[in-house]
Amino acid sequence: MDATSFCGALPQTKLSASNRNFSRSCPRARSVVSVARHSSEEFQQPDKLYSRESLVVSSFSSANKGMTASGRSYLSGPVMKRNPVRQAFCAASVVGVGAYCEGFVDSHLHVTEEKVGVLLLNLGGPETLNDVQPFLFNLFADPDIIRLPRLFQFLQKPLAKLISVLRAPKSKEGYASIGGGSPLRKITDEQADGIKMALKAKGLTANVYVGMRYWYPFTEEAIHQIKKDKITKLVVLPLYPQFSISTTGSSLRVLQNIFSEDAYLSRLPIAIIQSWYQREGYIKSMADLIGEELQKFAKPEEVMIFFSAHGVPLTYVEDAGDPYKDQMEECIYLIMQELKARGSYNDHTLAYQSRVGPVQWLKPYTDEVLVELGQKGVKSLLAVPVSFVSEHIETLEEIDMEYKELALESGIENWGRVPALGCTSSFITDLADAVIEALPSAKSFSTTRSTSEESDRDFLSYAIKMIFGSVLAFVLLFSPKVITAFRNLLF
Ligand SMILES: C=CC1=C(C)c2cc3[nH]c(cc4nc(cc5[nH]c(cc1n2)c(C)c5CCC(=O)O)C(CCC(=O)O)=C4C)c(C)c3C=C
Ligand SMILES: [Fe+2]
């Protein structure tokens, strides 16, 4: 199978009409995305401030349900407890949402011809060093990234400002070392072009939009264009293979907020692809890239395959029920199965990188495992970034520079790194298939107001919380323990 660039050229490979779910364990389930208004959020750009309300997105199937951005259970209940891996996997393997909207004709819009849109969601990255601090502000101001208890949520923006200002110098160094900015926008734009072409080759004409969470082009801008273009059916495709509250969950919350406030958008049939790590095309594309890199070693069979995933704080998984870890493990399992089917029986391991701050993150940590492997006598190692599909600071600086240096210092002699999928044709074709498969399930959003939010609006309870919260926050912020924790977070 070829692993050449798809972007800029029509696919050479034969295009399959559909792609079966590659999951070993979970039959397709139906899922519904519902929302509740949650909290107010401000958004920093170099030249302006956005103000908007953020929302809680609930994602559930018949087997599991429930998440909030503020620390309540994400996927909870007795079924979840009995078999969390299977439940999380089932929820996430659901591609679309809701029922098929046959022969879409919106009487309000007087639209008779279908105009399909695909919205790619990604994180976004600073394009220049001047963008770094405001980008970091947007990231840390996200209640899905710094998850404060409800009582302390009023501290979100001051805290984001403080952390972003203090962290910016370290981040800038990283971005400077990879050319002065993130390549994420350029690569995502190329992927969008590739998906558009792949869809066209399959007979579907669609507009493909890019909506970033923390930098340009912001999700709001993409939605604005979608409205302008009078799209009649939308497929939302987050460019994260695995679902996490901090990535896909956060972007979906923003989307839901925008959609619920707008008459046109709230009626627009929409299908959300929540995760796609289990798709055959993705797994095979990853196996292709790994296979190619293995062949560059003198003794490919002796190479340890080292999957390095972006981490999340442990509480996301343990308290909030983030399915990210389970999906990651399932994903690695599927890739290794595919490699075995091709005759590669390499040892492999999974570790988590890029932790930020004083709290515990998913373990084992990439840096610690690299040292251990070196001490154990592993001589050849192939690093595989598995939570990203494009090159960016975490691959180009953290893996290629920091981790490589650490590995070589620790006794590993032969180092290799699998490139991110980028515009690999088999991968882009598979994403196009995922869009086509999701399209029939497009359904318009519905919104509900949570009872907890209504109680928030009760002035007395709000005032008490504010006063009590301020006092507690003051005490906490100036305690020596917290000051030490901050120092660890930033330097
Ligand atoms: C699956 C992917 C990602 C998860 C999960 C994720 C969680 C997460 N990230 C931070 C903090 C930072 N992330 C930063 C950059 C960054 N993160 C991802 C992906 C995931 N993050 C990407 C693709 C990038 C790079 C974007 C680019 O510039 O190209 C940064 C900024 C860089 C730095 O200073 O290190 C921070 C900070 C948290 C706290 C978190 C989970 C809660
Ligand atoms: Fe991150």
Side-chain angles (χ1 to χ4, degrees):
M1 192 173 292
D2 72 329
T4 53
S5 169
F6 187 88
C7 300
L10 280 167
Q12 303 297 309
T13 47
K14 192 167 168 274
L15 303 169
S16 65
S18 66
N19 194 317
R20 71 190 155 89
N21 190 312
F22 206 53
S23 156
R24 71 185 157 109
S25 60
C26 182
R28 286 197 162 202
R30 248 173 97 88
S31 86
V32 180
V33 171
S34 71
V35 289
R37 199 180 312 237
H38 179 50
S39 65
S40 188
E41 190 181 348
E42 213 171 56
F43 214 51
Q44 187 178 342
Q45 299 182 57
D47 50 353
K48 62 181 171 193
L49 283 174
Y50 272 178
S51 192
R52 70 173 175 223
E53 286 210 300
S54 61
L55 290 158
V56 178
V57 178
S58 298
S59 169
F60 54 91
S61 69
S62 54
N64 64 39
K65 62 179 179 183
M67 81 101 155
T68 76
S70 57
R72 278 160 275 144
S73 175
Y74 193 95
L75 296 163
S76 60
V79 183
M80 182 68 197
K81 288 258 183 296
R82 273 205 304 274
N83 191 347
V85 172
R86 189 176 169 83
Q87 296 309 320
F89 184 62
C90 283
S93 69
V94 177
V95 170
V97 282
Y100 182 28
C101 253
E102 275 173 39
F104 173 72
V105 179
D106 188 320
S107 57
H108 299 274
L109 299 171
H110 308 292
V111 174
T112 48
E113 201 183 306
E114 193 147 278
K115 235 184 145 187
V116 175
V118 178
L119 175 59
L120 305 181
L121 299 175
N122 211 337
L123 189 117
E127 285 168 73
T128 69
L129 295 184
N130 285 338
D131 298 341
V132 171
Q133 185 276 321
F135 160 78
L136 290 174
F137 172 85
N138 292 339
L139 189 134
F140 291 118
D142 179 356
D144 287 316
I145 286 286
I146 295 191
R147 302 174 69 246
L148 297 173
R150 283 186 79 80
L151 207 57
F152 296 106
Q153 277 170 9
F154 70 98
L155 285 175
Q156 189 90 41
K157 278 187 282 288
L159 212 53
K161 183 79 188 174
L162 184 68
I163 300 174
S164 63
V165 167
L166 293 171
R167 192 180 166 86
K170 188 186 173 194
S171 284
K172 275 186 187 176
E173 259 179 52
Y175 284 107
S177 73
I178 62 163
S182 171
L184 205 58
R185 180 175 191 167
K186 184 174 172 285
I187 298 169
T188 311
D189 282 344
E190 288 168 357
Q191 288 170 328
D193 291 343
I195 291 169
K196 186 181 169 88
M197 279 195 289
L199 287 171
K200 191 151 182 92
K202 290 167 185 289
L204 179 71
T205 301
N207 287 1
V208 183
Y209 305 87
V210 171
M212 300 292 197
R213 180 67 181 88
Y214 306 118
W215 206 244
Y216 297 97
F218 287 102
T219 308
E220 289 82 349
E221 299 173 53
I223 296 295
H224 182 72
Q225 196 56 47
I226 285 167
K227 273 184 82 173
K228 243 175 115 179
D229 292 346
K230 297 190 168 60
I231 291 300
T232 62
K233 209 177 237 187
L234 185 68
V235 177
V236 176
L237 174 58
L239 286 177
Y240 308 100
Q242 306 85 10
F243 182 99
S244 167
I245 297 170
S246 59
T247 53
T248 301
S250 167
S251 281
L252 292 183
R253 217 156 49 80
V254 169
L255 258 195
Q256 183 62 61
N257 180 33
I258 301 169
F259 272 62
S260 65
E261 310 254 300
D262 185 290
Y264 164 83
L265 294 169
S266 62
R267 287 197 303 269
L268 176 65
I270 167 171
I272 298 171
I273 301 170
Q274 297 190 48
S275 66
W276 38 268
Y277 66 91
Q278 72 282 31
R279 291 185 63 82
E280 184 175 2
Y282 166 72
I283 297 295
K284 288 194 165 173
S285 301
M286 287 297 288
D288 290 345
L289 293 187
I290 294 170
E292 277 171 33
E293 292 305 313
L294 280 177
Q295 293 315 311
K296 294 180 183 169
F297 287 83
K299 292 182 180 163
E301 67 286 352
E302 288 178 12
V303 176
M304 161 78 78
I305 300 176
F306 186 91
F307 292 98
S308 188
H310 197 303
V312 293
L314 193 61
T315 53
Y316 281 54
V317 173
E318 294 199 338
D319 303 340
D322 195 335
Y324 181 71
K325 178 173 180 280
D326 291 337
Q327 292 192 3
M328 192 58 73
E329 288 170 3
E330 188 77 32
C331 178
I332 303 313
Y333 172 86
L334 292 170
I335 295 171
M336 290 312 298
Q337 287 295 102
E338 179 62 25
L339 286 170
K340 277 183 197 148
R342 298 177 184 197
S344 298
Y345 293 90
N346 296 66
D347 285 339
H348 74 281
T349 191
L350 165 65
Y352 293 93
Q353 65 176 87
S354 318
R355 65 184 186 276
V356 184
V359 298
Q360 225 192 97
W361 282 49
L362 284 182
K363 283 187 176 171
Y365 299 145
T366 294
D367 48 359
E368 292 178 3
V369 177
L370 286 174
V371 173
E372 276 166 28
L373 291 176
Q375 284 167 353
K376 279 186 191 158
V378 171
K379 293 293 168 213
S380 301
L381 189 139
L382 178 61
V384 186
V386 71
S387 41
F388 325 115
V389 293
S390 36
E391 299 294 345
H392 48 76
I393 191 166
E394 322 281 354
T395 56
L396 299 169
E397 197 264 339
E398 204 169 0
I399 298 183
D400 289 355
M401 298 180 197
E402 284 181 43
Y403 292 145
K404 181 179 177 184
E405 197 182 315
L406 182 65
L408 297 180
E409 277 171 13
S410 306
I412 288 157
E413 290 167 5
N414 310 303
W415 168 272
R417 205 264 282 177
V418 168
L421 282 164
C423 286
T424 303
S425 64
S426 54
F427 165 61
I428 294 293
T429 300
D430 188 51
L431 289 185
D433 285 335
V435 168
I436 290 169
E437 289 164 30
L439 207 51
S441 66
K443 184 189 156 198
S444 52
F445 273 61
S446 64
T447 56
T448 52
R449 172 164 291 188
S450 73
T451 47
S452 62
E453 197 237 6
E454 271 165 18
S455 72
D456 268 358
R457 299 206 170 203
D458 177 80
F459 178 74
L460 192 63
S461 109
Y462 181 74
I464 292 168
K465 281 178 185 175
M466 279 295 279
I467 294 162
F468 181 65
S470 306
V471 172
L472 213 58
F474 184 82
V475 171
L476 275 176
L477 266 178
F478 293 98
S479 80
K481 208 175 160 197
V482 172
I483 289 169
T484 313
F486 252 110
R487 222 173 271 143
N488 294 341
L489 165 72
L490 301 162
F491 307 108

